[in-house]
Amino acid sequence: MVSNTDLNVAVLGLGYIGLPTAAVIARTGVKVLGIDVSDHVVETVNSGKVHIEEVDLDGLVSGVVARGNLRASTEIQPADVFVIAVPTPFAEDHRPNVGYVLKAATTIAAVLKPGDTVILESTSPVGTTEQVRDLLAELRPDLKLPGRSSETADVAIAYCPERVLPGRILVELIDNDRVIGGITPRCARKALSFYRRFVRGACVTTSCRAAEMTKLTENAFRDVNIAFANELSLVADTMGVDVWEVIRLANRHPRVNILSPGPGVGGHCIAVDPWFLVSAAPDQTPLIRTARQVNDGKVAHTIAQATALIDAHPGVPVACMGLAFKANIDDFRESPALKVAEALTARFGARIRIVEPYADALPPSLAAATLIDLDDAIESCGIMIVLVDHELFKSVPLDERADKVVYDTRGIWPDQPVAMPRAHPVRLAG
Ligand code: SAJ
């Protein structure tokens, strides 16, 4: 096996997954070139800094850049292993867009040589790895590509989905098990030998199609389970029961493990990936589709509840607690909290105060609101709407909020005297 110091790896896409992946590989002594289309990203990384917030990533990146093991560029160079970690968004009709993946494959085609390995990590619809193979075959007719004939292929192509949780990325990149799907078993074994260099978790090999579907299945599983919790919260509201208590009690059953309701499901994964299954098999996925609709519908429900509460207390300043899509991160993409804050700001204007420890300024959509800190909110706001379960918010003791009107969508203050508006009828989104 080639030693780490003799291996050259190119990581295409230096986002939330690509940059931590590139840095973790570079830490093992491998020479890593990070490719990104953004000059800003490339310059930031080359100066040893990071353009995204992730626990401990800044120190890691500055170290591997200083040692010369990680470098960024907008231009591809030859490498032994290519890792594609670009976004796979979906269009208005929820169909996945694999355009960035195919563009990355086109970039790789220019420098691909016999012996190389190409690994797709981006969450992708089933069949995308084969699509990458077909594109490479078209662009490089001089190379023998896997699965197209019985001859031994010149290059290996595999799919290995990332599974890391924002906020724990550097730990989970090393410790999580990995599913490695090859176009052929030989491809899978080649990719396996690469992941073994830096992954401590078990690495399991399979076909690329099974690996692609596994990734979508994991996120659809979580979405369906959150939808169950969100639906329960609507039922409990209607019945005047505390959903958090019900879930706590039900979870004492040895085979019940209900997740937490919230103001909706955000982020760029759980709210997106289930649609890849639905759009591939619309007639077979009523449950997965409905879960998406229940979770999206929870945003509108939260807005309606909060609006009713604010209307019932004219003139009282309102603290919207949190904008991030989940606790303790600075990521606001697809954030239900942000959507709720936007709707309330559009309606109530300057009455809305935002508390978000992870934001330095408010986005233009919240221009009419004010960003204040937690102490100011406790002092000045009679209504508190908890949208994110940041640790900072959990630490507010009851005596500092006992006299507030609270709408706690995350269940962080179980001791709060109840002050919820009446439930609204369930509406499915989309
Ligand atoms: N949420 C709830 N209730 C819960 C759990 C989550 O409302 O009980 C909400 C969160 O507040 C957030 C959204 O769901 O708005 C998603 O958060 P998350 O923590 O469930 O997931 P992500 O999007 O940060 O990361 C997920 C993870 N997938 C699974 O847990 C199956 C991660 O391992 C994946 O790598 C990531 O998606 C991805 O990139 O696909």
Side-chain angles (χ1 to χ4, degrees), residues 17 123 162-166 172 176 215 217-223 225-226 229-230 258-271 273 295 324-327 329 334-336 387 389 410:
I17 301 303
T123 303
E162 60 82 12
R163 309 169 113 176
V164 290
L165 200 69
E172 294 203 358
N176 286 3
K215 168 69 192 183
T217 301
E218 290 163 4
N219 282 353
F221 170 86
R222 194 152 169 87
D223 198 44
N225 281 278
I226 299 169
N230 276 334
I258 303 168
L259 294 180
S260 303
V265 166
H268 32 94
C269 309
I270 307 273
D273 304 347
N295 286 335
F325 87 82
K326 66 177 195 175
I329 59 168
E334 303 295 325
S335 170
L387 298 170
D389 42 344
R410 296 280 186 176

Side-chain angles (χ1 to χ4, degrees), residues 104-312:
T106 306
T107 304
I108 293 167
V111 294
L112 197 61
K113 60 184 186 321
D116 288 355
T117 303
V118 178
I119 301 167
L120 176 59
E121 286 207 3
S122 311
T123 303
S124 300
V126 176
T128 308
T129 311
E130 289 158 339
Q131 222 180 321
V132 165
R133 186 266 321 270
D134 292 345
L135 179 61
L136 290 173
E138 191 187 313
L139 296 170
R140 292 295 304 273
D142 56 312
L143 292 173
K144 287 196 282 297
L145 289 162
R148 288 171 67 96
S149 76
S150 54
E151 284 181 288
T152 303
D154 288 330
V155 296
I157 303 177
Y159 180 73
C160 179
E162 60 82 12
R163 309 169 113 176
V164 290
L165 200 69
R168 286 181 44 82
I169 291 181
L170 293 184
V171 175
E172 294 203 358
L173 267 175
I174 309 288
D175 287 344
N176 286 3
D177 293 355
R178 300 296 295 248
V179 175
I180 301 169
I183 294 235
T184 63
R186 198 159 182 268
C187 293
R189 288 194 295 275
K190 193 85 191 294
L192 174 72
S193 68
F194 168 65
Y195 282 99
R196 283 217 172 118
R197 292 173 189 270
F198 63 96
V199 172
R200 222 173 4 226
C203 295
V204 183
T205 56
T206 181
S207 69
C208 54
R209 292 176 78 87
E212 288 162 340
M213 183 158 163
T214 300
K215 168 69 192 183
L216 301 177
T217 301
E218 290 163 4
N219 282 353
F221 170 86
R222 194 152 169 87
D223 198 44
V224 168
N225 281 278
I226 299 169
F228 180 71
N230 276 334
E231 189 161 293
L232 280 184
S233 75
L234 303 177
V235 175
D237 266 11
T238 312
M239 311 214 164
V241 175
D242 177 358
V243 69
W244 306 101
E245 189 184 4
V246 171
I247 291 174
R248 244 189 336 269
L249 295 173
N251 282 350
R252 297 181 80 92
H253 185 289
R255 284 174 296 283
V256 173
N257 185 13
I258 303 168
L259 294 180
S260 303
V265 166
H268 32 94
C269 309
I270 307 273
V272 175
D273 304 347
W275 286 118
F276 291 13
L277 290 173
V278 174
S279 73
D283 295 337
Q284 285 73 33
T285 46
L287 178 67
I288 299 172
R289 176 197 296 272
T290 305
R292 271 290 63 247
Q293 291 170 327
V294 167
N295 286 335
D296 281 351
K298 192 70 195 296
V299 181
H301 178 84
T302 305
I303 293 168
Q305 299 261 55
T307 301
L309 189 69
I310 299 169
D311 274 340

Side-chain angles (χ1 to χ4, degrees), residues 263 302 320-322 324 336-338 340-341 385-389 407 409-410:
T302 305
C320 281
M321 314 275 290
L338 180 60
V340 173
I385 300 179
V386 179
L387 298 170
V388 184
D389 42 344
Y407 178 19
T409 70
R410 296 280 186 176

Side-chain angles (χ1 to χ4, degrees), residues 337-402:
L338 180 60
K339 288 178 192 155
V340 173
E342 283 171 348
L344 297 181
T345 301
R347 183 171 166 124
F348 297 105
R351 268 180 80 189
I352 303 296
R353 321 271 158 88
I354 310 285
V355 187
E356 176 45 85
Y358 291 88
D360 300 328
L362 292 179
S365 58
L366 295 175
T370 330
L371 184 64
I372 62 173
D373 68 20
L374 180 59
D375 286 338
D376 288 345
I378 292 169
E379 204 148 296
S380 66
C381 296
I383 301 176
M384 293 188 137
I385 300 179
V386 179
L387 298 170
V388 184
D389 42 344
H390 287 318
E391 282 308 319
L392 180 70
F393 301 162
K394 288 187 187 168
S395 66
V396 179
L398 177 60
D399 62 340
E400 291 193 310
R401 53 183 158 79

